[in-house]
Amino acid sequence: MQLKPENLIRKKEKKEFCLFEKRFDNIEAFLKTSPYLTITTSGDCGVFEKVDNKYLFALWDIEGHGNKRVYLASKELKKLILMFRHYPIEDSLDIINYLFSSRASMIIGEMKDEILLFQFGNVNFITKTKRSLSALSIFGMDAIVKKRYNLPLQNITLFSDGVDLHKSIIYSYEELENVLRNKNNDDASIMVIKAKNGSDI
């Protein structure tokens, strides 16, 4: 018996909308990407998750923009990061890099008593006292060189190269939209993490 097309069950792809506002007891994080109305063509995305007694965060920008390939690569990277979220970040990076099939600029890190983060490419960060410079190593190469930072626990803003950010303090999710209006033609994303009580999470 031959099934007619209208009787076939098609599995619909779940679209990933890369924007969120998350609040925990003493920390909050918000992310917004642009474009977000054409989400299936954007390679920028990020995660912020509570994992056991620490917080995992990442923001990335897949090489290229404006097509479905970069969007699918972004979904793949998100899946891999969450798959290995219970492993120490430094141990998991080489495994994720081996499994990942594209290239990306990325910051990935964790927050507990301090901020530990690793930077690849031109996703950057700003804190009250420090602004990063782009890293030479790109995630997704055969071998990666991890640019590592250990920072005191504090508010931190991560951003991709699609937006030029001059200040570290963004107070609300709504304020992100105003900043992203000034982006260039590339995909753009900003993640803000606020440690509300200063020294401890």
Side-chain angles (χ1 to χ4, degrees):
M1 176 180 174
Q2 187 175 6
L3 292 176
K4 295 180 180 180
E6 61 267 24
N7 293 330
L8 295 175
I9 298 173
R10 294 183 179 177
K11 183 178 179 181
K12 290 188 176 181
E13 178 187 9
K14 180 183 176 184
K15 293 182 179 180
E16 296 285 347
F17 292 87
C18 290
L19 59 163
F20 59 72
E21 183 177 14
K22 297 185 177 184
R23 287 187 169 87
F24 298 90
D25 289 340
N26 44 13
I27 198 165
E28 62 182 285
F30 33 94
L31 165 73
K32 196 157 195 180
T33 61
S34 179
Y36 56 90
L37 293 177
T38 54
I39 195 69
T40 55
T41 68
S42 177
D44 281 30
C45 198
V47 296
F48 186 87
E49 299 288 332
K50 190 173 192 304
V51 182
D52 302 323
N53 61 347
K54 62 187 177 186
Y55 295 89
L56 168 71
F57 63 89
L59 183 72
W60 58 84
D61 177 2
I62 305 297
E63 281 191 354
H65 67 96
N67 60 66
K68 192 168 184 178
R69 181 195 64 79
V70 297
Y71 166 72
L72 292 176
S74 180
K75 282 184 67 172
E76 177 191 7
L77 184 54
K78 180 177 182 180
K79 181 179 179 180
L80 289 169
I81 290 171
L82 293 177
M83 185 184 303
F84 291 97
R85 66 187 178 274
H86 293 285
Y87 290 76
I89 288 178
E90 193 161 12
D91 295 343
S92 67
L93 277 176
D94 289 320
I95 302 170
I96 295 170
N97 182 69
Y98 176 77
L99 297 171
F100 184 51
S101 61
S102 189
R103 294 184 180 181
S105 295
M106 177 173 67
I107 285 179
I108 184 169
E110 62 185 30
M111 304 179 81
K112 191 177 177 185
D113 300 319
E114 63 174 4
I115 300 172
L116 166 66
L117 67 84
F118 299 91
Q119 182 192 24
F120 305 90
N122 54 10
V123 171
N124 285 285
F125 71 84
I126 302 177
T127 68
K128 186 176 181 180
T129 58
K130 187 170 186 63
R131 181 186 176 114
S132 69
L133 298 173
S134 296
L136 295 176
S137 177
I138 299 294
F139 200 75
M141 304 290 284
D142 289 340
I144 51 172
V145 179
K146 306 178 186 79
K147 189 173 182 181
R148 176 183 175 135
Y149 293 87
N150 289 83
L151 304 168
L153 187 62
Q154 59 191 302
N155 296 345
I156 186 169
T157 300
L158 319 176
F159 58 99
S160 71
D161 67 332
V163 62
D164 189 13
L165 202 59
H166 298 290
K167 66 175 185 174
S168 61
I169 301 175
I170 296 176
Y171 292 100
S172 69
Y173 177 76
E174 290 73 22
E175 194 178 341
L176 293 180
E177 179 62 27
N178 295 326
V179 177
L180 287 171
R181 283 197 187 112
N182 298 318
K183 79 179 186 71
N184 60 34
N185 290 328
D186 197 359
D187 299 337
S189 54
I190 305 173
M191 180 186 294
V192 178
I193 305 170
K194 295 167 66 177
K196 289 188 270 187
N197 62 349
S199 60
D200 297 307
I201 290 182

